[in-house]
Amino acid sequence: MAVFPRRRLAAVALAAATALLATAGCGGADEADGDGPVTLTVDVFGQFGYEQLYQEYMSAHPDVKIVERGAGTNLDEYSPKLTQWLAAGRGAGDVVAIEEGLMVEYKANPGNFVNLLDHGAADLKGNFLEWKWNAGLTADGKQLIGLGTDVGGIAICYRSDLFAKAGLPTERDEVSKLWPTWQDYIATGERFVAAKTGASFLDAATNTFNTILLQTAGNTTGYSYYDTSGNVVVDSNPAVRQAWDTTMDIIDSGLSGKYGSWSEEWVSAFKQSKFATIACPAWMTGVIESNAGPTAQGKWDIARVPGNGGNWGGSHLAVPKQSKHQAEAIELAKFLTSAKGQIGAFKAKGPLPSSPQALDDPAITGATNAYFTGAPVGAIFGTGAKSLKPVYMGPKNQAVRTEVENAVRTVELGQRNPGQGWTDAVANAKKAAAK
Amino acid sequence: MTVQLDARPPAAPTPGSRRRSSGRLTRLDTRYSPYLYIAPFFLLFAVFGVYPLAYTFWVSLHDWDLLGTDHPFVGAANYTQLLADADFWHAVVNTLGIFVISTVPQLLAALWLANLLNRGLRARTGWRMAVLVPNVTSTAAVAIVFGVLFGREFGMINWMLDLVGVDPVAWKSDRVASWVAISAMVDWRWTGYNALILLAAMQAIPRDLYESAAIDGANRVRQFWAITVPLLKPTIIFCVIISTIGGLQLFTEPRLFHSGTNPIRGGSLRESQTVTMYMFENAFAPHYNFGYGSAVAWLLFALIAIVAAVNVLVLRRMGGGSGPGPGKGAAR
């Protein structure tokens, strides 16, 4: 009699233990060390244009297999994922892309990343524009978190077929002459709207706002939402106010199609030829091509940006400490950010190199883009790239930027008037910075 | 042998057993082994339910930057800040608004649908399965499709409104319109599910009640309100509680309804941001303030408890006097 209960107890305990083990036993499947090929995961957002480079790298390194995640996702979806992976201590790729606006946040906790200076990266300093190199360094200059990939460089991409329909010049040099300043751009837009082509002049005011802001800030204060001592200066930085006022003029003139940037409507508007111009950092050309599709090839062209130059965007490649193949990942990051790698990415999807050698390379200076009616993209974006003035980004830049651009959007949608919008922008930006 | 073991009734050992120790073990067995049988659930619940709950509370008492290395203790500061946070209360109003305009018609429709399915239909099982189909589709797919349908310029709903001469509705940037659009998604998905639960309960109602009601001259509508609904009350309460929990935790539908930059806000003026979305916005992008997000989670927990309790009280009160008491058994 006594035997059965004991055996039963044991059986129950065993069953419970098995169940727990089964639930705890998942994971760890990808830790295949040993002789098999090493799989390196690369996390990106938008369009980095690395596909060809992976092929090259894999044929030179038969022991390495590369998997890319995240192509086409926008930054707002990408950055929380990356942050969660870093906070959780697992899940991040072996090589991760970090956008300039988020670099400041990640730099505050450098322990999450491999110090590339410990792995011979110091020798590569000459391969990068000086400010781009510095942007990857921590405040004390002792740790290099990321190697630069691309920089912004801004132009205006436009639909020459819609311009023709509206009776405007279509040839890119003449189009550039239409708008030496943003006020001229608005005047051109008013002519376009008056021609009633059924399309809007531009996609959404938020992208244009950010373009004007970064251009103005680069040319004047050198900072946007935060000053260099880390104070929120949305309401006192004249660059922000100036960009705001110009954008309000654009909205007021009815130029915007109000297709919220990166939304499904935005993509549909590309496909249905619903707007004629878009603020166009170099990396945007790849986005336009994948959104508008092959049928719009030859209808797009590129003109210079109103005002004087400017820089929007650009990323770094970093190696998280949680990577199980740090050495291989560092090698891959070095390869992708080399002058050769940057040229390859530019040819594929258009992000402008941050390497002076690459910028001087005939492959860049002479580059044209068939999709954009053979526009000399290398000359358009590359000219002045080496003299770009960086804009300082504060610790909560992304959160603050979100609030200000949301305020722009509410005015664009007619939910707020410009005065209320500005009040919202200032108040919400301060609130976000304090969180 | 084994069958016998399992089938053994939990009877006390016969008095005067040969060995004392064996008797004590048997007594221990009958007293404690039932707890062991139900232990796996509670063990798993402790690991995956209680521990995260307690940990969330612990986190909510700290200033916890998701990427930071030190997390200073701040006591109730997150809660006091949250109670004064206009955006939080805005999200609460959104959540309750969406909850009310989705749950009320949903349960009424489910009741009506169940009543229809309870009749002698041809291919009855087929119809009953069919109402569950929307529930089987992925929430994400539903939300994306509805998000496109309710587009401002390229959406089919506005296109159809245009055909009948109605001005396009700003489904995503008008507060109430966005609630309606999201409620449509929720209803589409969950009405059939609730209908099946109510149908199962309806089938347990004895036929002879209806027969005697028919003899007394009660028509179908009268039968429905006088017999079906009162007898379904426990099940309706169950459906209401389940819908409350689901409705107040609404996340995927409103999140995917919006696309573009920072969709987590549910529109540029937070038109359809629910509490869970507000929690995500604070705990993760763009604020990465884990402590504050955890405080939102706990207040949401309190909110669900309050709303569920209010629902049950209201339902109890409704038609409480003449009701047959809890459960259909009392009716016989």
Side-chain angles (χ1 to χ4, degrees):
Chain A
M1 261 307 244
V3 180
F4 301 126
R6 204 180 293 146
R7 193 183 285 165
R8 186 155 25 138
L9 275 171
V12 168
L14 189 69
T18 317
L20 275 180
L21 276 179
T23 38
C26 39
D30 53 352
E31 290 166 37
D33 272 349
D35 296 328
V38 170
T39 302
L40 295 178
T41 309
V42 182
D43 286 326
V44 300
F45 57 94
Q47 303 288 345
F48 272 66
Y50 285 157
E51 293 76 8
Q52 187 64 38
L53 295 167
Y54 296 146
Q55 293 305 328
E56 269 179 49
Y57 193 80
M58 283 192 278
S59 38
H61 301 76
D63 53 333
V64 172
K65 190 168 166 278
I66 303 173
V67 180
E68 185 184 88
R69 298 186 296 194
T73 51
N74 78 50
L75 187 60
D76 281 326
E77 288 170 39
Y78 172 80
S79 64
K81 270 194 253 172
L82 178 58
T83 306
Q84 285 163 44
W85 289 327
L86 293 176
R90 63 183 298 157
D94 299 286
V95 176
V96 299
I98 299 180
E99 205 260 351
E100 61 172 13
L102 289 165
M103 197 58 175
V104 275
E105 282 181 48
Y106 292 135
K107 274 205 288 197
N109 297 288
N112 289 312
F113 298 98
V114 170
N115 184 358
L116 297 170
L117 291 178
D118 294 342
H119 297 86
D123 304 340
L124 303 174
K125 189 168 190 257
N127 287 350
F128 299 91
L129 296 172
E130 195 186 351
W131 61 269
K132 189 74 185 177
W133 174 263
N134 291 338
L137 282 175
T138 51
D140 58 7
K142 286 184 184 150
Q143 178 169 344
L144 183 72
I145 288 177
L147 292 165
T149 58
D150 59 321
V151 295
I154 301 174
I156 295 281
C157 292
Y158 69 98
R159 290 281 303 245
S160 52
D161 58 332
L162 291 176
F163 269 49
K165 215 170 159 187
L168 292 168
T170 56
E171 203 275 319
R172 66 180 74 91
D173 291 332
E174 287 176 52
V175 171
S176 296
K177 278 184 205 142
L178 286 175
W179 49 60
T181 68
W182 285 102
Q183 289 309 321
D184 298 319
Y185 175 79
I186 294 171
T188 311
E190 283 169 340
R191 277 171 66 191
F192 181 89
V193 171
K196 296 205 190 313
T197 57
S200 302
F201 189 57
L202 54 93
D203 59 330
T206 43
N207 274 356
T208 315
F209 169 74
N210 198 42
T211 303
I212 304 173
L213 171 62
L214 292 173
Q215 179 188 68
T216 316
N219 290 338
T220 56
T221 50
Y223 54 82
S224 57
Y225 300 124
Y226 280 88
D227 68 13
T228 44
S229 21
N231 304 309
V232 182
V233 289
V234 173
D235 49 348
S236 59
N237 183 354
V240 179
R241 184 70 212 201
Q242 199 181 325
W244 176 273
D245 288 340
T246 309
T247 308
M248 292 304 121
D249 284 349
I250 288 174
I251 293 170
D252 196 41
S253 310
L255 305 188
S256 170
K258 307 175 191 176
Y259 308 105
S261 314
W262 304 97
S263 68
E264 279 143 17
E265 290 209 317
W266 192 60
V267 176
S268 302
F270 269 109
K271 290 201 167 46
Q272 306 198 13
S273 312
K274 282 297 198 178
F275 59 87
T277 67
I278 179 170
C280 205
W283 46 263
M284 187 68 93
T285 56
V287 177
I288 293 172
E289 192 174 337
S290 59
N291 280 348
T295 50
Q297 167 147 15
K299 292 176 180 169
W300 282 97
D301 209 327
I302 308 175
R304 65 179 288 280
V305 69
N308 184 18
N311 176 48
W312 173 6
S315 301
H316 289 79
L317 292 187
V319 177
K321 263 209 184 117
Q322 56 183 270
S323 163
K324 293 194 180 70
H325 311 289
Q326 290 182 8
E328 292 89 344
I330 293 164
E331 282 314 303
L332 177 62
K334 283 182 184 169
F335 169 75
L336 292 173
T337 56
S338 67
K340 181 174 177 293
Q342 296 193 15
I343 292 169
F346 176 82
K347 281 186 183 161
K349 296 285 180 184
L352 187 66
S354 64
S355 154
Q357 290 85 344
L359 285 167
D360 284 338
D361 194 285
I364 300 287
T365 53
T368 58
N369 188 327
Y371 190 83
F372 290 84
T373 329
V377 278
I380 293 173
F381 291 111
T383 309
K386 280 193 277 182
S387 57
L388 275 183
K389 291 180 212 81
V391 174
Y392 173 81
M393 310 262 173
K396 291 236 167 183
N397 184 71
Q398 192 68 12
V400 172
R401 178 185 157 190
T402 294
E403 294 298 344
V404 179
E405 288 185 7
N406 255 302
V408 172
R409 181 96 180 121
T410 57
V411 179
E412 177 177 67
L413 290 173
Q415 298 167 307
R416 291 279 187 269
N417 68 39
Q420 294 164 331
W422 177 253
T423 314
D424 279 2
V426 173
N428 292 342
K430 284 183 176 163
K431 195 179 156 193
K435 263 189 180 166
Chain B
M1 215 31 188
T2 30
V3 175
Q4 214 186 359
L5 276 177
D6 289 341
R8 198 176 57 117
T14 45
S17 61
R18 257 174 295 166
R19 281 165 57 188
R20 265 197 106 75
S21 69
S22 120
R24 196 187 301 139
L25 260 177
T26 316
R27 218 165 29 244
L28 279 177
D29 176 30
T30 48
R31 180 172 285 182
Y32 294 112
S33 58
Y35 295 102
L36 212 60
Y37 293 139
I38 56 168
F41 167 77
F42 286 97
L43 224 59
L44 289 176
F45 179 70
V47 173
F48 295 104
V50 177
Y51 172 70
L53 217 62
Y55 191 66
T56 306
F57 183 68
W58 172 247
V59 170
S60 75
L61 301 177
H62 293 75
D63 182 7
W64 195 296
D65 186 315
L66 194 56
L67 282 174
T69 38
D70 56 322
H71 313 298
F73 184 83
V74 294
N78 282 326
Y79 289 94
T80 49
Q81 195 189 339
L82 189 56
L83 289 174
D85 184 343
D87 289 338
F88 171 71
W89 292 111
H90 183 90
V92 169
V93 171
N94 283 346
T95 311
L96 293 175
I98 295 172
F99 166 67
V100 169
I101 56 178
S102 67
T103 306
V104 175
Q106 176 188 323
L107 289 181
L108 290 177
L111 204 55
W112 175 69
L113 206 60
N115 195 40
L116 291 183
L117 287 170
N118 200 21
R119 297 184 183 177
L121 294 167
R122 210 172 290 163
R124 218 177 339 177
T125 318
W127 290 109
R128 289 175 183 172
M129 296 294 286
V131 296
L132 200 64
V133 167
N135 196 249
V136 181
T137 49
S138 117
T139 321
V142 174
I144 289 168
V145 169
F146 272 72
V148 174
L149 288 181
F150 283 102
R152 174 175 56 93
E153 190 164 325
F154 309 115
M156 199 172 82
I157 308 279
N158 273 350
W159 173 74
M160 291 195 323
L161 287 178
D162 189 51
L163 287 185
V164 294
V166 179
D167 282 341
V169 178
W171 291 109
K172 295 187 184 180
S173 55
D174 181 88
R175 199 170 178 198
V176 177
S178 68
W179 294 358
V180 171
I182 290 164
S183 299
M185 250 184 271
V186 176
D187 288 347
W188 185 80
R189 217 170 117 74
W190 290 101
T191 305
Y193 172 85
N194 283 313
L196 281 194
I197 292 180
L198 292 170
L199 174 64
M202 265 181 205
Q203 292 189 322
I205 299 174
R207 293 269 111 193
D208 45 0
L209 279 180
Y210 292 101
E211 281 159 21
S212 36
I215 291 167
D216 289 345
N219 63 11
R220 278 231 151 141
V221 177
R222 178 105 173 94
Q223 287 176 22
F224 177 73
W225 289 110
I227 300 173
T228 313
V229 172
L231 288 183
L232 281 183
K233 229 169 73 179
T235 316
I236 293 177
I237 291 178
F238 169 77
C239 285
V240 166
I241 291 176
I242 293 292
S243 304
T244 308
I245 295 171
L248 295 185
Q249 290 183 341
L250 200 63
F251 178 80
T252 316
E253 285 92 345
R255 161 62 185 80
L256 290 174
F257 182 62
H258 297 275
S259 58
T261 43
N262 50 78
I264 200 70
R265 289 171 73 103
S268 43
L269 285 175
R270 304 177 188 272
E271 288 87 352
S272 47
Q273 186 179 42
T274 59
V275 178
T276 40
M277 288 164 84
Y278 191 63
M279 174 179 78
F280 189 94
E281 185 190 347
N282 283 289
F284 303 106
H287 296 304
Y288 303 116
N289 189 336
F290 227 41
Y292 201 66
S294 301
V296 177
W298 266 89
L299 283 192
L300 175 63
F301 180 80
L303 185 73
I304 292 175
I306 292 169
V307 174
V310 168
N311 275 336
V312 171
L313 284 179
V314 168
L315 276 171
R316 280 258 168 83
R317 181 105 358 138
M318 270 176 10
S322 62
K328 57 187 184 300
R332 288 294 276 166

